[in-house]
Amino acid sequence: MPGPEFELPPQYDPRSVEPSLYRRWLDRGAFAPKDQGEPYVIVIPPPNVTAVLHVGHGLNNIIQDVLIRFERMRGRAAEWLPGTDHAGIATQNVVEKQLAAEGKTRFDLGREAFVERVWAFVRETGDTIIEQLKIIGCSCDWSRTRFTLDEAYSRSVREAFVTLWDEGLIYRGHRVIHWCPHCLTALSDEEAEHHDTSGNLYHITYPLADGSGSVTVATTRPETMFGDIGLVYHPKDRRYKAFKGKSVKIPLSGLVIPIGTDDAVDKAFGTGMLKVTPAHDANDFDIANRVWPKEDKPLILTEDGKMAGTGDGGRVPPELQGLDRFDARKKIVKLLEKEGLLVKVEQHQHAVRRCYRCDTVVEPRLSDQWFVKMKPLADPVLAAYRRGEFRIIPERWRATFENWMAGIRDWNISRQLWWGHRIPVFTCTKCQYQWASRTDPTACPECDGGGGPVEQDPDVLDTWFSSWLWPFATFGWPERTPDLARFYPGHTLVTAPEILQLWVSRMLMSGYHFMEQRPPFTTVYLTGTVRDTQHRKMSKSLGNGIDPRDVVQLYGTDALRWTLIGGGSLGADVIVDPSDLETTFAPGRNFANKLWNIGRFILSQLPVSVTPIDRIDRAQLTLADRWILARAQATIRETTTSLEQFRLDEAARRCYEFAWNELADWYVEAVKPRLAGGGPTVPQAVLAYCFDAALRLLHPVVPFISEELWQKLPGRAPDELLVVAEWPKPRPALDDAEADAEFGRVKTAIELIRSIRAEFRVSPKTRLRATIVARGGDRAATFSGERDTIQRLAHLESLATDGASDGQGVHAVFGAGSEVVVALEGAIDVQQECRRLSGEMTRLDQQLAALATKLTNESFVSRAPADVVAREREKERTWREQRNVLAGKLRALGCS
RNA sequence: GGGCGAAUAGCUCAGCGGUUCAGAGCGCCUGCCUUACACGCAGGAAGUCGGGGGUUCGAAUCCCUCUUCGCCCACCA
């Protein structure tokens, strides 16, 4: 009797289901960790508030969602902490761009108004990002959403800074750092990205001051020559021996500078003579400190990358002052050429550093910045990693991580920005005493009574100086909150490998340093990257980004998740085609629709109350019942193992095969006749059990469709939710290797009959008569017991399972010599059948020959494992029996 | 300059020493609107597993090498 489920439309419409389900989960508080139980904690890599997410972020967050849903169902107190990052440079950049469109700069607004303006922007985009996470189904604990610039979070940042200061790990460094002339701020080494660039190597003549000749210097940056304080060559370079102690004149300016020597010079590069520009090259800075430690290090470029003016020491010739550095380069080259001081220009491949936020070529620049001493922080982490206290998967990242940790350099944390955490360093204007403070001081602690006004450092902290505290600042550190006690240390961090150093390693360092030597997580899962078919990263500038909202609108969230999770194995890139969303996302949509229809059918067959599977008497089970129940056990085990091993793709595939190929294609089809009769409750119980298990197993990957169907299953309380339902456990009592093998034979027999039908172009409407002859290990009862199934699925009129083959019809051999014979009167001629069978024979003979070679090979028999040899022997026996049957058939037909 | 990854059907991928291991999805071909599903069902065609060499009784699977692509790191100006 068809139930009300037939009212359900035959086509699943995710749009009508997903938003309301998500709301139900929220209303029920399903994403909050339960009060009891062992915690499982993931902290989200907080997305920058600058931009909407694309499917690249989608992959990352969906992986986290699969893991958190899995562990939640397994009974852990699952905490997935969400939030966003204020993203200092990036955000300030975006807002400054907006201002520029209005013809304004941040200086027009002033610091306070500008920061207010950024806040307004951030509130808006932050909300969009959270919305997107919800749309793709993320089951974050929204009650604990954090932002790295929240008041409480800011206290954590300040605490970390002051602690490090007190420990002597923060210092003011005077050195050449990466400076972005567009963002007008210093950058860390990690924020200045290398880009291979094809440039020029200019060979420039520096005349000797005494007029006795000249030397040639090769440089990629002629515009910095006015900042030269000398030339150096390698002390062992004989070519320049005669120049020792001499001086040269800087071309175009005439300034006289000395020639020195330094070991750092590469004799083989360029001319072996290096110009030393200490204020605009980190390497030159070091050389200058060795060779001319007392010499000034003149800056000849302004902060925004222009040639310095007269006020800046007057080293730059007047006609070049104020020119942009690249325009200046061109002009200088021209001038040099005119004066005959340009020897040659060579093509030169080299890496140029660019700002990771605005892509401007970074200018090395001597300045004063705050640095963190990293070695004391990194060493314990490296040691802990080698002890195995946390792991990084895929394991291949080990070398990268270890090299970085071992060779770590101090971290420049000050940024000349307005958007971020103000550096809590204060200076007394009277006595110049400088200190870091957890609270804003009003007076200098060193001056007696009336100190001078106190000034705070104008700079802000590097964004990463706040996000490196994420795993514990989010839970209230430095206060000893219950959350902190419960959710630190966490478990899994899922993120992109490109921020392994920028973020992951620093979180580990802060974790070990501030949290009593405990790691913030035990597993770091480095995901692959979502790329287009040309293997390019998704990015706005390339126009190949896909907004997850578009995919969800077209195909549903489950389809999006299905493609991203199934698209690649652990840590592998996922390739999607932005120009063909249909092909990319249809498989997931199709699967969701298939589940929908399996559900529609099963639900229509189930009574209001279904017998639990453990109350079914095993004696009542048919072979097909036993088979699907055994398959369910295998699926439960394999899916669970795969998820435990972070093989989400494998888990997804396994469930898919169970639901679609095993349950729908075989069991449902096999069981239909038994259902139609309204007969016993056994098939209903089996269907309900298997479908329930499949939905549970699928839930982490396709949460919406699984939840929607699961709630419709009989016996559900109105408030029961799959999202917090129990993860299936295997029931050993339902394991059944025998049924697995026997039903496998039945399937094979059906497939052979279908093949024959198709080969002989017999319409399914024509009912055929067939015979199955069980031989070898096969039992006739296996086939007679499933007679109805075989007849129905192979479109047979009748099936004989007891008689011997009479040689009439089309034959196929399977198993250990068992045989299928399909009666096809008139449709076949003997010649054709002879050809077909001898073709089979040839194939079999080839396989047997190959096997014989193997088995007569003394080395194989003696050296291969015994079970492998045994298996090969068994295979040979089986094929030999098949061959015998075939040979008999050929004889009977009188084939030549 | 160093390190890493990938190369398997037209496309996107799985398999990573031995069970028909040469697979899946999409695409393609042939039948089917079989009352859950044409976003479907059934049956097919399709790859000398990038080239070469080696280890092994046995290699898509391990080692070396080459080619192509991609990524990360790097103070030769």
Side-chain angles (χ1 to χ4, degrees):
Chain A
M1 188 171 23
E5 284 70 25
F6 270 134
E7 306 295 318
L8 297 173
Q11 217 161 79
Y12 172 59
D13 177 20
R15 277 167 303 185
S16 68
V17 165
E18 292 176 353
S20 62
L21 275 180
Y22 196 87
R23 237 174 290 120
R24 278 190 71 188
W25 289 332
L26 284 182
D27 292 348
R28 213 65 65 71
F31 300 161
K34 50 181 200 177
D35 298 333
Q36 305 295 317
E38 195 197 341
Y40 174 77
V41 181
I42 298 179
V43 291
I44 204 171
N48 289 351
V49 284
T50 43
V52 294
L53 306 181
H54 54 65
V55 293
H57 307 100
L59 171 66
N60 191 328
N61 288 299
I62 288 164
I63 289 171
Q64 294 173 65
D65 194 48
V66 172
L67 296 175
I68 204 86
R69 284 177 187 271
F70 171 54
E71 296 294 355
R72 185 184 292 126
M73 291 177 75
R74 292 222 287 180
R76 303 277 286 270
E79 166 64 19
W80 183 12
L81 183 129
T84 46
D85 192 306
H86 70 280
I89 305 178
T91 310
Q92 175 156 335
N93 250 327
V94 174
V95 177
E96 286 197 273
K97 241 178 238 168
Q98 290 179 355
L99 285 176
E102 301 164 20
K104 284 189 248 169
T105 71
R106 64 176 150 128
F107 300 102
D108 296 333
L109 271 73
R111 185 161 189 155
E112 225 169 283
F114 177 77
V115 168
E116 200 33 62
R117 167 104 187 209
V118 181
W119 269 110
F121 167 78
V122 156
R123 281 187 201 103
E124 201 177 307
T125 52
D127 289 351
T128 307
I129 290 165
I130 300 295
E131 261 332 289
Q132 283 182 304
L133 290 173
K134 290 178 177 174
I135 284 172
I136 62 176
C138 291
S139 58
C140 304
D141 178 10
W142 301 109
S143 71
R144 288 185 171 84
T145 307
R146 298 286 183 265
F147 179 52
T148 54
L149 221 48
D150 284 344
E151 210 183 309
Y153 201 101
S154 299
R155 278 199 296 278
S156 309
V157 171
R158 198 147 167 178
E159 173 69 25
F161 185 95
V162 176
T163 303
L164 292 173
W165 175 282
D166 291 345
E167 292 167 341
L169 292 177
I170 289 183
Y171 66 95
R172 192 74 169 159
H174 179 66
R175 61 177 67 167
V176 174
I177 46 82
H178 305 292
W179 180 268
C180 175
H182 175 259
C183 302
L184 298 179
T185 180
L187 300 170
S188 67
D189 295 338
E190 295 71 39
E191 291 171 322
E193 297 181 332
H194 290 274
H195 289 269
D196 285 332
T197 311
S198 126
N200 293 322
L201 190 60
Y202 303 92
H203 291 247
I204 300 168
T205 302
Y206 280 55
L208 287 172
D210 60 11
S212 64
S214 66
V215 292
T216 303
V217 172
T219 180
T220 53
R221 307 201 50 204
E223 68 276 12
T224 63
M225 63 201 275
F226 308 115
D228 294 351
I229 64 160
L231 303 183
V232 288
Y233 62 91
H234 194 278
K236 294 214 175 100
D237 194 338
R238 288 207 200 90
R239 294 174 293 178
Y240 295 116
K241 235 172 147 179
F243 294 84
K244 194 169 180 183
K246 296 205 171 191
S247 297
V248 292
K249 284 195 235 172
I250 298 177
L252 307 182
S253 89
L255 198 70
V256 175
I257 54 172
I259 296 178
T261 61
D262 191 83
D263 289 336
V265 180
D266 178 356
K267 287 188 280 186
F269 187 87
T271 62
M273 185 67 82
L274 170 68
K275 65 193 266 307
V276 179
T277 321
H280 293 288
D281 186 291
N283 202 24
D284 291 5
F285 178 82
D286 293 340
I287 293 173
N289 280 339
R290 287 193 292 265
V291 185
W292 301 290
K294 300 222 173 87
E295 215 44 51
D296 276 349
K297 300 182 176 67
L299 284 162
I300 54 92
L301 288 165
T302 60
E303 289 186 344
D304 57 353
K306 294 193 168 66
M307 301 302 285
T310 330
D312 300 301
R315 280 178 154 252
V316 179
E319 70 267 35
L320 292 164
Q321 291 178 8
L323 275 184
D324 173 81
R325 53 192 167 143
F326 297 115
D327 297 334
R329 181 183 300 175
K330 281 180 213 145
K331 185 154 181 190
I332 288 166
V333 169
K334 244 179 236 156
L335 291 172
L336 288 172
E337 215 168 359
K338 208 157 65 184
E339 302 211 0
L341 295 174
L342 187 67
V343 180
K344 63 175 171 178
V345 181
E346 287 174 331
Q347 272 277 319
H348 182 57
Q349 289 291 335
H350 62 140
V352 171
R353 285 189 183 248
R354 288 173 179 272
C355 174
Y356 82 139
R357 282 303 159 209
C358 72
D359 209 37
T360 302
V361 174
V362 160
E363 187 60 48
R365 183 177 180 87
L366 183 60
S367 74
D368 294 308
Q369 304 287 340
W370 294 109
F371 290 86
V372 179
K373 284 186 195 160
M374 295 306 270
K375 205 167 163 8
L377 301 181
D379 285 347
V381 172
L382 186 53
Y385 183 48
R386 290 178 171 154
R387 282 196 303 271
E389 285 179 25
F390 62 90
R391 62 172 175 161
I392 300 173
I393 53 170
E395 178 62 26
R396 75 178 113 93
W397 290 98
R398 175 172 290 277
T400 306
F401 181 73
E402 288 192 351
N403 289 343
W404 156 254
M405 293 304 277
I408 198 156
R409 284 183 289 169
D410 287 352
W411 176 15
N412 171 10
I413 51 169
S414 42
R415 297 289 176 276
Q416 288 64 47
L417 303 171
W418 290 350
W419 176 244
H421 299 275
R422 188 85 176 259
I423 294 177
V425 172
F426 300 86
T427 310
C428 172
T429 50
K430 190 172 168 198
C431 72
Q432 302 306 309
Y433 176 67
Q434 199 170 51
W435 75 103
S437 173
R438 287 176 176 82
T439 54
D440 290 355
T442 49
C444 170
E446 292 294 298
C447 293
D448 295 335
V454 172
E455 275 179 3
Q456 184 171 5
D457 192 294
D459 293 347
V460 301
L461 290 162
D462 180 5
T463 289
W464 302 99
F465 191 88
S466 56
S467 44
W468 76 325
L469 311 173
W470 189 249
F472 47 88
T474 47
F475 293 121
W477 183 87
E479 279 176 56
R480 304 249 154 236
T481 61
D483 269 10
L484 190 62
R486 189 147 184 247
F487 299 131
Y488 191 96
H491 299 88
T492 311
L493 180 82
V494 181
T495 194
E498 57 255 37
I499 51 174
L500 177 61
Q501 301 178 171
L502 224 37
W503 190 49
V504 180
S505 62
R506 286 175 182 158
M507 274 192 290
L508 286 157
M509 288 186 259
S510 71
Y512 275 89
H513 191 71
F514 295 114
M515 296 299 292
E516 294 88 37
Q517 299 298 312
R518 290 176 299 161
F521 25 72
T522 48
T523 299
V524 176
Y525 176 149
L526 296 178
T527 64
T529 310
V530 179
R531 298 173 186 282
D532 66 15
T533 46
Q534 295 169 59
H535 297 157
R536 300 177 309 179
K537 263 189 226 182
M538 300 255 134
S539 84
K540 260 188 297 184
S541 52
L542 287 171
N544 61 352
I546 301 173
D547 189 330
R549 289 172 295 190
D550 295 340
V551 178
V552 166
Q553 184 59 26
L554 286 166
Y555 309 107
T557 299
D558 290 332
L560 170 72
R561 295 169 65 110
W562 182 259
T563 294
L564 293 181
I565 292 298
S569 54
L570 193 150
D573 290 346
V574 176
I575 310 293
V576 298
D577 188 350
S579 67
D580 188 359
L581 298 184
E582 171 78 15
T583 299
T584 306
F585 296 103
R589 176 202 55 187
N590 295 354
F591 180 48
N593 194 237
K594 183 69 184 184
L595 283 174
W596 178 253
N597 279 292
I598 296 170
R600 250 169 29 105
F601 178 76
I602 291 179
L603 291 170
S604 75
Q605 304 300 323
L606 298 184
V608 196
S609 161
V610 179
T611 317
I613 197 69
D614 51 6
R615 294 237 296 278
I616 296 283
D617 178 5
R618 274 193 75 74
Q620 282 186 274
L621 298 177
T622 67
L623 180 61
D625 297 335
R626 288 163 53 207
W627 172 77
I628 194 66
L629 290 171
R631 296 316 298 155
Q633 306 319 305
T635 307
I636 292 168
R637 285 198 188 89
E638 288 162 25
T639 304
T640 307
T641 306
S642 293
L643 287 175
E644 283 170 346
Q645 294 170 169
F646 297 93
R647 286 303 308 267
L648 314 193
D649 58 319
E650 225 172 63
R653 241 193 323 275
R654 188 63 194 90
C655 301
Y656 174 96
E657 279 166 11
F658 176 68
W660 196 322
N661 305 123
E662 295 173 347
L663 184 59
D665 289 347
W666 284 103
Y667 185 71
V668 166
E669 291 308 327
V671 88
K672 270 178 178 170
R674 290 162 67 202
L675 294 167
T681 58
V682 171
Q684 278 87 351
V686 173
L687 276 178
Y689 168 78
C690 288
F691 193 51
D692 172 272
L695 292 175
R696 288 173 197 256
L697 295 173
L698 281 162
H699 182 260
V701 181
V702 283
F704 290 102
I705 181 75
S706 56
E707 178 80 80
E708 178 70 10
L709 291 168
W710 192 80
Q711 289 181 6
K712 295 186 193 310
L713 288 174
R716 293 278 171 258
D719 58 343
E720 255 189 294
L721 293 175
L722 176 56
V723 65
V724 288
E726 204 183 320
W727 189 254
K729 288 194 187 76
R731 298 163 180 266
L734 298 177
D735 286 331
D736 198 333
E738 191 186 64
D740 217 28
E742 284 193 24
F743 195 73
R745 290 277 195 261
V746 171
K747 283 166 62 189
T748 303
I750 292 168
E751 282 165 345
L752 285 171
I753 297 168
R754 284 169 174 172
S755 280
I756 289 168
R757 178 188 289 279
E759 193 180 336
F760 287 87
R761 311 213 171 280
V762 182
S763 155
K765 284 186 179 130
T766 311
R767 302 280 141 168
L768 298 173
R769 286 179 292 112
T771 306
I772 295 178
V773 186
R775 293 203 190 88
D778 296 349
R779 295 178 304 119
T782 300
F783 302 104
S784 58
E786 290 295 320
R787 173 175 287 109
D788 285 346
T789 303
I790 298 170
Q791 285 193 193
R792 184 182 162 89
L793 299 189
H795 300 285
L796 298 178
E797 175 187 282
S798 68
L799 174 70
T801 53
D802 44 2
S805 166
D806 60 1
Q808 302 293 354
V810 181
H811 299 257
V813 185
F814 66 105
S818 291
E819 192 184 356
V820 162
V821 188
V822 180
L824 281 172
E825 304 98 42
I828 42 160
D829 67 81
V830 176
Q831 296 283 8
Q832 193 184 352
E833 183 65 356
C834 282
R835 264 200 306 279
R836 215 178 58 85
L837 289 179
S838 47
E840 276 300 292
M841 188 71 138
T842 309
R843 196 178 56 84
L844 213 49
D845 278 338
Q846 282 167 355
Q847 287 181 338
L848 276 166
L851 210 50
T853 319
K854 216 172 181 180
L855 285 168
T856 53
N857 182 340
E858 182 46 39
S859 323
F860 172 71
V861 179
S862 60
R863 304 175 81 155
D867 60 313
V868 172
V869 179
R871 240 181 278 137
E872 297 297 301
R873 288 233 159 87
E874 175 61 22
K875 207 154 61 173
E876 191 194 30
R877 193 185 65 80
T878 311
W879 287 350
R880 209 166 277 286
E881 296 205 25
Q882 288 189 11
R883 191 186 183 284
N884 287 342
V885 174
L886 267 181
K889 234 73 274 179
L890 284 166
R891 269 198 307 279
L893 286 170
C895 305
S896 50

